[in-house]
Amino acid sequence: MIVRRHLLLAAVSLGLAGPAHAQQPRVLDSAPKADAVVGRRSSGFYVRFDRPVDHEDSRLAIKQDGRIVEVLHPRLESTPDVLFARAPTLQPGRYSLHWIVGGNTQFDGEIPFTVGND
């Protein structure tokens, strides 16, 4: 009992336990890239992180003017550090790819992009 308590205290002090010490995952790459202009036929969207993410408890969405216009379903077969989904053809305009990484603690972010007229 005493040994378990000391191990738990050591894990908490080292930041190994509890969401209070969790750090937001960093985005290493994405498609589209931030502020990119993409063609209307661009349908593959992904966000690559600096660590594995929980695919089942994570979400992607396309937003326009702060409203969700399309909810995307990340493929569970993606590599552990990537959320990948396909989206339908979007009309020209400004959008953002909104991501939520789930798990014990949730983190989110947005990547702005524009769909061109081609």
Side-chain angles (χ1 to χ4, degrees), residues 41-53:
R41 297 180 200 262
S42 177
S43 63
F45 293 85
Y46 74 85
V47 182
R48 181 180 312 277
F49 298 94
D50 65 341
R51 68 186 81 157
V53 295

Side-chain angles (χ1 to χ4, degrees), residues 18-93:
H21 295 286
Q23 289 185 338
Q24 182 162 344
R26 286 187 321 122
V27 173
L28 299 178
D29 192 17
S30 68
K33 301 225 183 283
D35 300 315
V37 177
V38 299
R40 293 182 64 198
R41 297 180 200 262
S42 177
S43 63
F45 293 85
Y46 74 85
V47 182
R48 181 180 312 277
F49 298 94
D50 65 341
R51 68 186 81 157
V53 295
D54 182 349
H55 287 81
E56 289 185 21
D57 200 24
S58 297
R59 302 289 176 259
L60 293 171
I62 305 292
K63 294 172 80 175
Q64 186 175 41
D65 297 325
R67 295 179 306 115
I68 295 176
V69 296
E70 192 70 40
V71 174
L72 307 178
H73 301 284
R75 291 196 175 170
L76 300 178
E77 302 85 27
S78 298
T79 59
D81 59 342
V82 173
L83 295 179
F84 173 85
R86 295 234 179 252
T89 301
L90 298 169
Q91 296 299 315

